């Protein structure tokens, strides 16, 4: 009898296991849409204990539901998992704000300000380096009050360092010392302006033109910006509606004709060229013929940059001029391009080129890049050749006609 209750409990547990397995099988079959088959329940091979079912009927329902409903609960998250991916689908909507970034078109105000920044700067701004080392240095000395001999030596040193030249410097200092008696600083500054303007004079600084085609011969030492100056001239003339032909008579410098062609593409000009190493005079000859045949308004002849000390090269330059004169008369302009940073060496260059081709005007480039703006005064004082154009920047609009009053005001004002 002592084994009786244990035996009953064992049977109860077996029945519960069988019922749970049967319930799980039924649920699985129902999911597949099939009816459960009774034989499955007989598998354990314990048919007799089923008589004990009445004793366990009440616990069975409570245990079965718990075991049966667990799978559906586990399935629910799996079924709803796809809905969890809905947020990633909505993620693009979060990218909508970046798409609306273009609405940050607030910058356009700053974009419209760009033209103002890129607009041509005044000559005063362009010559800031020369003004600080030349004009402002003189003004500072004038404002010391009564000037001593040492002060006048400082003034003379400033003028010489600015490449005004010995001759012009001596004249300016002598005249200022005479006018300084009884004059205050402002009067001396005004006297300096008057002295500089008197030296620069009122020479004709316009670019001359002749019967069509007008011919401008451009020459100078290598590196002065000669070909770039020609390109800027062609651009300016083309903008004014002139038909321009460029003769690439610089046949020695590598890619000189290519550089000229690039400018021609920008300006609408036509280029006449020969093979590298060809006779420059022959290119000039063909340039004149082409300009006439095409009824061009202007022919600009580029020449090889050469050292003014090389006699044979200067003779070749003279030959180009002679060919032009023979075919179409003297060039309306022979422009010598000088680099303002070379200082007094530019004077020696100008003398040599004038002897070879009779220079009629100076183009002074890189004037914005030097603290020695006095070269303009030296050229006029020592050679009497007018500075007609000045380069004060890289832009095409930075090749400007030389205005003596604006120049002096930019230096001293």
């Amino acid at each position: 009898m002592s084994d009786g209750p244990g035996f009953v409990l064992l049977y109860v547990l077996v029945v519960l296991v069988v019922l749970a397995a049967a319930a799980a099988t039924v649920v699985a079959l129902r999911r597949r849409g099939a009816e459960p088959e009774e034989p499955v329940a007989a598998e354990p091979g314990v048919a007799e204990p089923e008589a004990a079912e009445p004793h366990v009927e009440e616990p069975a329902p409570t245990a079965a539901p718990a075991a049966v409903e667990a799978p559906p609960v586990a399935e629910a998250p799996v079924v709803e998992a796809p809905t969890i991916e809905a947020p990633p689908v909505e993620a693009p909507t979060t990218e909508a704000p970046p798409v609306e970034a273009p609405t940050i078109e607030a910058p356009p105000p700053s974009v419209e300000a760009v033209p103002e920044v890129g607009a041509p700067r005044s000559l005063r701004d362009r010559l800031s380096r020369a003004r600080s080392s030349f004009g402002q240095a003189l003004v500072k000395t004038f404002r010391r009050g009564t000037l001593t001999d040492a002060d006048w030596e400082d003034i003379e040193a400033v003028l010489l360092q600015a490449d005004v030249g010995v001759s012009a410097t001596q004249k300016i200092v002598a005249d200022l010392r005479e006018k300084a008696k009884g004059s205050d600083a402002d009067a001396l500054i005004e006297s300096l302006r008057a002295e500089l303007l008197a030296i620069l004079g009122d020479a004709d600084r316009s670019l001359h033109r002749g019967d069509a085609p007008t011919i401008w011969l451009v020459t100078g030492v290598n590196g002065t910006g000669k070909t770039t100056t020609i390109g800027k001239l062609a651009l300016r003339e083309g903008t004014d509606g002139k038909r321009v032909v460029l003769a690439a008579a610089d046949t020695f410098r590598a890619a000189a004709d290519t550089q000229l062609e690039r400018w021609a593409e920008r300006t609408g000009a036509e280029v006449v060229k020969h093979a590298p190493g060809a006779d420059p005079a022959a290119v000039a000859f063909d340039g004149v013929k082409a300009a006439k045949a095409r009824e061009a308004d202007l022919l600009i002849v580029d020449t090889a940059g050469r050292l003014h000390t090389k006699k044979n090269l200067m003779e070749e330059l003279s030959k180009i001029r002679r060919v032009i004169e023979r075919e179409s008369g003297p060039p309306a302009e022979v422009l010598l391009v000088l680099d303002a940073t070379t200082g007094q060496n530019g004077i020696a260059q100008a003398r040599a080129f004038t002897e070879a081709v009779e220079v009629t005007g100076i183009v002074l480039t890189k004037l914005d890049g030097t603290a020695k703006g006095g070269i303009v005064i030296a050229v006029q004082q020592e050679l009497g050749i007018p500075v007609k154009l000045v380069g004060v920047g890289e832009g095409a609009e930075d090749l400007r006609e030389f205005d003596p009053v604006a120049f002096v005001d930019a230096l001293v004002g």
Side-chain angles (χ1 to χ4, degrees), residues 91-101:
T93 59
T94 56
E95 291 184 28
V99 173
E100 292 182 14

Side-chain angles (χ1 to χ4, degrees), residues 224-349:
T224 57
K226 178 173 49 65
T227 303
T228 299
T229 296
I230 291 171
K232 292 179 179 180
L233 283 172
L235 180 60
R236 188 171 72 171
E237 294 296 316
T239 302
D240 287 344
K242 302 292 191 303
R243 186 169 187 178
V244 182
V245 173
L246 306 178
D250 184 352
T251 59
F252 294 104
R253 183 167 65 89
D257 56 348
T258 303
Q259 184 182 358
L260 211 58
E261 284 176 328
R262 287 178 181 170
W263 274 104
E265 289 172 5
R266 289 183 58 188
T267 63
E270 300 175 65
V271 177
V272 175
K273 68 174 187 175
H274 284 191
D279 181 6
V283 179
F285 174 84
D286 286 348
V288 174
K289 293 297 185 185
K292 288 180 177 179
R294 297 168 191 176
E295 298 183 346
D297 299 296
L298 175 65
L299 168 66
I300 306 179
V301 181
D302 187 14
T303 60
R306 59 204 68 222
L307 291 174
H308 58 287
T309 54
K310 301 294 183 181
K311 186 174 180 181
N312 59 327
L313 296 178
M314 298 305 284
E315 282 294 332
E316 186 179 79
L317 187 58
S318 299
K319 179 183 175 183
I320 293 174
R321 180 185 172 101
R322 288 195 301 271
V323 167
I324 292 173
E325 286 183 351
R326 186 184 68 212
E327 297 301 320
S328 189
E333 288 286 358
V334 178
L335 299 174
L336 173 62
V337 181
L338 292 179
D339 182 341
T341 63
T342 61
Q344 287 296 305
N345 189 42
I347 302 298
Q349 293 175 22

Side-chain angles (χ1 to χ4, degrees), residues 118-130 224-225 228-229 232 236 337-341 363-370 373 375-376 387-403 406-407 410-411:
R121 292 164 56 192
S122 68
L123 188 61
R124 179 186 175 84
D125 288 340
R126 292 293 191 184
L127 300 184
S128 58
R129 293 184 64 184
T224 57
T228 299
T229 296
K232 292 179 179 180
R236 188 171 72 171
V337 181
L338 292 179
D339 182 341
T341 63
V363 180
L364 200 59
T365 61
K366 308 176 188 178
L367 192 57
D368 59 317
T370 180
I375 186 62
V376 177
V387 174
K388 296 196 171 187
L389 298 167
V390 290
V392 290
E394 296 296 327
E397 72 282 357
D398 292 323
L399 181 65
R400 306 182 185 182
E401 294 178 357
F402 178 67
D403 181 348
F407 173 75
L411 285 182

Side-chain angles (χ1 to χ4, degrees), residues 135-147 151-152 155 176 179-194 412-413:
Q136 290 180 357
L138 291 177
V139 170
K140 183 179 179 181
T141 304
F142 291 157
R143 295 195 182 283
R144 291 177 185 170
T146 303
L147 299 178
D151 292 329
W152 286 110
I155 292 171
L176 287 178
K179 295 175 182 177
K181 299 171 183 177
S183 298
D184 58 12
D186 290 335
L188 269 179
I189 294 170
E190 189 57 37
S191 295
L192 174 62
R193 288 184 73 262
V412 183

